[in-house]
Amino acid sequence: MRGWYLFLAVCLLDVIAAQGPEKRRTGNVCNSDVECPDNAFCKQSSYCVCKDGFVYAAVNSTHKGCLKEARNGEECVQHIQCHSTMGVHSECSNGICSCATNSHLETDRCYETAVIGERCVVDQNCFLGEQVLDRQAFCVRGYCTCQLQFSPRDNGTRCVRDALLGETCEDNLQCAGPGLECRGTCRCRDNWVAHTEINACVESAKMLNDSCQYDVQCEALSGVAEAKSVGAALCLGGVCSCGYNARPVGNPAHCWHRRRPGQECIRDEECVSEEDEPGYCLAGRCTCKTCTPDARDFGGASNLSAPPIYVAAILSLAAILRH
C-alpha cells in the first residue's frame, strides 16, 4: 500500500514540476533585471526568475544559472532540463534527454510503463508498444485493462481483438461466443452449427423432439451426414420435428423427404407409396416392393413410356434380384 501512495505522490510531483515560476526562481534578490543571471529577469522588483523556456539548475559543480529547457532527443546538462518538459520520468542520459528506464514517451512526455493488470494512474501508463497506433488499453479503477471486445496476451503486453464466426484467430480464447473454436478462423465446434443470419453458432439437436429455436439446429436430423435430405427437419413449436411432406425413419429417427414411386431418390429411406408403404431406391428412382404402378403411385398411366404390364414385370424382377 505504501508503494501505491508513493506512486501517486510521484505522479503529483510530475504535474507540479511543469507548473508555476518556482522551478525558474533563482533565489537572487533584485531591484532590476541587470542584477539577475543570464536568461533571467527581476520579477516584481523583488527576486530573479529564469525566462520562459529556461530552468534554474546547476551549470557545473560551482555555478548555478538558467539552463535551456530540453525535449526528447535534445542536448542537456541536468535532469531538470528534461523534467520541466517531459516530466519526472525523464532523465538526462549521455547529454541527451530521454525517458528513464521502465518509462515510455507519449505526446512528448514520459510516463511510467504498466502492462495489462498492473497498477496505473492515467491511461498513458498503459503501454503496449510503439506498433500500436490506436489506444487499446485504458486505466480502469487503478489497473490497466484492455478496451471492450479485446483480451490480453503475452503477459499483458498485447490486447487482441475478439474474433467472430469466420474471422481469423490465433487461439480459442480469441473466438468470442459460445460454440466457437479456432482453426485458423473461428468455426463452430462439433455438434454446433453456424447460423448465418445471426452470425453465431447454435447447438445442434441430437434427436427429434429436442428443444430448438432455429431450423438450422435441426438440420443434422435431415437425412444423414453422407446423404442429406435438406430441410426435412424443422424447428416447429420449439422442438425439432419432421416438416410437411417428410417422415421419420430409423432408430434413432431422422427426417426424410417423401419420394413417391417413379420419383428421383438417393436413399431407400426417402421412398414411400401413397399408402405409406416403404419402398426402396433403385437406379436413382423410387419403387416399392409389392405395389402396382397405378395412377396414385406413378402419377398417371399417361406418363409411362411402356405398357403397365411391362412396368410391373420390370419392378417385380427388380424386387426379386434385390432380395
Side-chain angles (χ1 to χ4, degrees), residues 230-295:
V230 179
L234 302 172
C235 186
L236 302 173
V239 296
C240 287
S241 308
C242 293
Y244 174 74
N245 200 32
R247 67 189 187 109
V249 181
N251 187 22
H254 284 223
C255 297
W256 296 86
H257 286 298
R258 297 175 187 270
R259 306 297 183 198
R260 302 303 183 189
Q263 292 183 329
E264 292 183 354
C265 57
I266 56 174
R267 291 280 292 248
D268 291 348
E269 291 87 345
E270 299 175 283
C271 299
V272 62
S273 71
E274 288 284 357
E275 292 80 13
D276 283 333
E277 177 189 357
Y280 52 88
C281 187
L282 178 65
R285 289 193 178 272
C286 284
T287 186
C288 52
K289 298 174 183 178
T290 60
C291 63
T292 58
D294 58 20

Side-chain angles (χ1 to χ4, degrees), residues 153 163-194 200-202:
R153 295 292 190 287
L164 301 177
L165 178 64
E167 294 182 338
T168 57
C169 56
E170 58 184 59
D171 55 35
N172 286 337
L173 183 62
Q174 190 177 358
C175 295
L180 284 172
E181 65 179 3
C182 182
R183 286 180 283 168
T185 60
C186 291
R187 302 183 185 182
C188 295
R189 299 201 309 259
D190 291 342
N191 300 319
W192 290 70
V193 62
C201 296
V202 291

Side-chain angles (χ1 to χ4, degrees), residues 78-216:
Q78 299 293 337
H79 292 316
I80 194 172
Q81 291 176 266
C82 311
H83 292 173
S84 61
T85 59
M86 300 170 62
V88 296
H89 296 295
S90 62
E91 63 181 6
C92 182
S93 178
N94 297 320
I96 298 295
C97 281
S98 61
C99 291
T101 304
N102 297 326
S103 299
H104 62 276
L105 184 70
E106 186 168 335
T107 58
D108 298 326
R109 291 186 68 80
C110 294
Y111 295 90
E112 189 170 10
T113 300
V115 297
I116 303 302
E118 292 184 341
R119 289 188 177 275
C120 56
V121 176
V122 293
D123 290 342
Q124 287 83 355
N125 292 132
C126 306
F127 183 68
L128 301 180
E130 300 292 349
Q131 73 277 10
V132 178
L133 300 178
D134 298 324
R135 180 169 297 281
Q136 296 177 355
F138 297 86
C139 188
V140 180
R141 297 177 181 176
Y143 290 90
C144 288
T145 306
C146 290
Q147 66 169 305
L148 292 176
Q149 299 181 341
F150 281 70
S151 55
R153 295 292 190 287
D154 300 340
N155 297 319
T157 59
R158 289 196 302 139
C159 286
V160 177
R161 186 180 67 82
D162 295 339
L164 301 177
L165 178 64
E167 294 182 338
T168 57
C169 56
E170 58 184 59
D171 55 35
N172 286 337
L173 183 62
Q174 190 177 358
C175 295
L180 284 172
E181 65 179 3
C182 182
R183 286 180 283 168
T185 60
C186 291
R187 302 183 185 182
C188 295
R189 299 201 309 259
D190 291 342
N191 300 319
W192 290 70
V193 62
H195 191 323
T196 56
E197 291 183 7
I198 61 174
N199 196 36
C201 296
V202 291
E203 194 167 7
S204 294
K206 295 179 176 59
M207 60 182 61
L208 291 177
N209 295 319
D210 279 356
S211 60
C212 59
Q213 188 176 0
Y214 308 101
D215 288 340
V216 70

